Amino acid sequence: MNWIKYSINTTTEAEDIVGATLMELGIVSIEIENNIPVDDGDRQGGVFEELQPDLPEDEGLSRVSFYLGEDEDHESLILQVKAALDELRDTMDIGQGTIDTSVTKQEDWINNWKQFFKSFYIDDILIKPTWEEIDPEDKGKIFVEIDPGVSFGTGKHETTQLCIRQLKKYLKAGDEILDVGCGSGILSIIANKLLDGNCHLVGTDIDEDCISSTYENFEVNHIDKSAGDFYVGNLIDDKDLQDKVGYEKYDVVVANILADIIIAMAPAIPPAMKDGAYFITSGIINFKENEVKDALEAVGLKILEINHQGEWVNITAQK
């Protein structure tokens, strides 16, 4: 299969907002390219990492790209993207805001992705791609192997890291955990690893490929399939799915999804939670923070923490 790559020409200041706007339209696989040098502290190998390639001078420009398969409805979605960009122009400088198009073959997609996904740490947790060997000095530590496949969850994004740090804080042995919008399964896998398997996982995603990807990543992490039950569907309005997921069952619910989806889903979250359970969520761009907070409070959840990383927000609440 070939993929059509659409690249929005924008500015580095607007790239996160443009990316969040695409996510609000349901486009979740986003690539950002700019010439901002990587700070020493953010390099995967630190300041002594092999020399970084020389980049052109940073002129404040950025390209925010996304991919669509040949069989998808391109015309309708691109019209929505253009309309959303026009709305953004009314409130901020997004640069040119033009869209370039190119074709990427399936094999190029996979190989190009592997060039950019390298091992890295989130605090004391090592995240590594399946195609890299673990270094001798990392053996014995908590590590997670991920093959993002079509679902792309690697842990690199700020929203995933925010959720992981909250899981480390609130999980306890024996927990029932619900992962809403499980993607590649990375949050479920990390929860299992943090508790040494002493938990039960349930996950949902609207994309059937994500369920397959999650079980594949379970296998490469030596987690038995029986450790989790994962379902396709939308928890917002799918009563059958809500029944499968269950009621007053979970100690922790985690959702790394879009702000508008969290808001729409808010009424369905407390019924799934035990009294005293925690709801950990991110995927919230900063200008949506208050809307999500209000929606969670409106369904009776108490806000415990609000954390920020870059342009992104985590909200942790309790029933």
Side-chain angles (χ1 to χ4, degrees):
M1 174 193 258
N2 290 337
W3 297 82
I4 311 301
K5 179 179 180 180
Y6 294 96
S7 299
I8 300 169
N9 299 295
T10 184
T11 65
T12 52
E13 287 190 358
E15 63 186 22
D16 274 347
I17 304 299
V18 171
T21 300
L22 295 178
M23 288 183 178
E24 298 292 346
L25 295 175
I27 301 169
V28 295
S29 300
I30 296 169
E31 173 185 283
I32 295 178
E33 303 167 84
N34 58 44
N35 294 328
I36 299 175
V38 178
D39 292 336
D40 289 340
D42 290 334
R43 292 185 183 177
Q44 293 168 0
V47 295
F48 300 109
E49 186 180 26
E50 65 274 10
L51 291 175
Q52 302 293 303
D54 290 331
L55 294 173
E57 183 179 352
D58 176 25
E59 296 180 344
L61 302 179
S62 177
R63 287 167 64 86
V64 179
S65 302
F66 59 95
Y67 297 81
L68 297 178
E70 292 177 312
D71 56 349
E72 296 185 65
D73 183 358
H74 293 232
E75 183 176 359
S76 174
L77 188 54
I78 297 306
L79 286 174
Q80 292 180 61
V81 170
K82 289 179 177 179
L85 292 174
D86 287 339
E87 287 186 18
L88 282 180
R89 282 193 183 91
D90 294 336
T91 59
M92 67 183 302
D93 178 13
I94 64 167
Q96 293 181 18
T98 54
I99 303 176
D100 298 331
T101 306
S102 60
V103 178
T104 300
K105 294 182 178 179
Q106 176 81 6
E107 57 269 24
D108 293 337
W109 170 295
I110 295 170
N111 292 329
N112 288 341
W113 176 246
K114 288 184 177 182
Q115 292 178 36
F116 296 103
F117 181 26
K118 306 293 183 182
S119 297
F120 67 99
Y121 272 98
I122 300 174
D123 299 336
D124 56 347
I125 300 172
L126 175 65
I127 312 292
K128 65 175 288 295
T130 53
W131 54 87
E132 282 190 6
E133 296 295 325
I134 190 168
D135 292 332
E137 61 267 27
D138 291 323
K139 290 185 177 178
K141 299 179 181 178
I142 294 179
F143 71 93
V144 175
E145 293 191 280
I146 289 291
D147 183 355
V150 296
S151 55
F152 273 85
T154 67
K156 270 285 191 181
H157 199 273
E158 291 94 333
T159 62
T160 313
Q161 295 181 27
L162 285 162
C163 286
I164 289 170
R165 292 189 174 103
Q166 295 301 96
L167 288 173
K168 290 178 65 179
K169 184 172 182 177
Y170 289 100
L171 287 178
K172 64 183 185 304
D175 274 350
E176 287 279 346
I177 302 162
L178 174 60
D179 183 358
V180 182
C182 59
S184 65
I186 185 169
L187 294 178
S188 289
I189 291 167
I190 285 177
N192 179 280
K193 296 267 187 175
L194 288 170
L195 298 175
D196 198 24
N198 190 3
C199 63
H200 182 259
L201 301 155
V202 173
T204 69
D205 204 289
I206 61 172
D207 188 342
E208 187 173 356
D209 287 331
C210 291
I211 307 302
S212 301
S213 180
T214 293
Y215 279 127
E216 289 167 6
N217 284 318
F218 264 42
E219 184 175 354
V220 299
N221 283 279
H222 310 291
I223 298 173
D224 193 88
K225 191 174 181 180
S226 64
D229 301 302
F230 293 85
Y231 306 108
V232 180
N234 190 334
L235 205 62
I236 293 173
D237 54 10
D238 187 335
K239 183 62 167 58
D240 288 341
L241 178 62
Q242 292 171 4
D243 290 343
K244 285 180 184 176
V245 165
Y247 302 98
E248 297 184 355
K249 177 179 176 182
Y250 298 97
D251 301 283
V252 174
V253 178
V254 60
N256 184 25
I257 46 181
L258 306 177
D260 285 348
I261 297 176
I262 296 167
I263 292 167
M265 189 180 294
I269 297 300
M273 302 168 68
K274 296 177 182 176
D275 287 339
Y278 300 103
F279 180 46
I280 297 168
T281 190
S282 191
I284 306 162
I285 194 70
N286 54 14
F287 61 82
K288 291 279 190 177
E289 175 182 326
N290 288 332
E291 290 182 54
V292 176
K293 176 177 174 290
D294 291 346
L296 298 183
E297 289 179 330
V299 296
L301 296 179
K302 177 184 177 182
I303 306 300
L304 298 181
E305 291 187 47
I306 297 178
N307 300 293
H308 300 84
Q309 187 172 340
E311 304 289 332
W312 300 95
V313 182
N314 148 254
I315 298 178
T316 300
Q318 187 175 30
K319 179 176 175 181

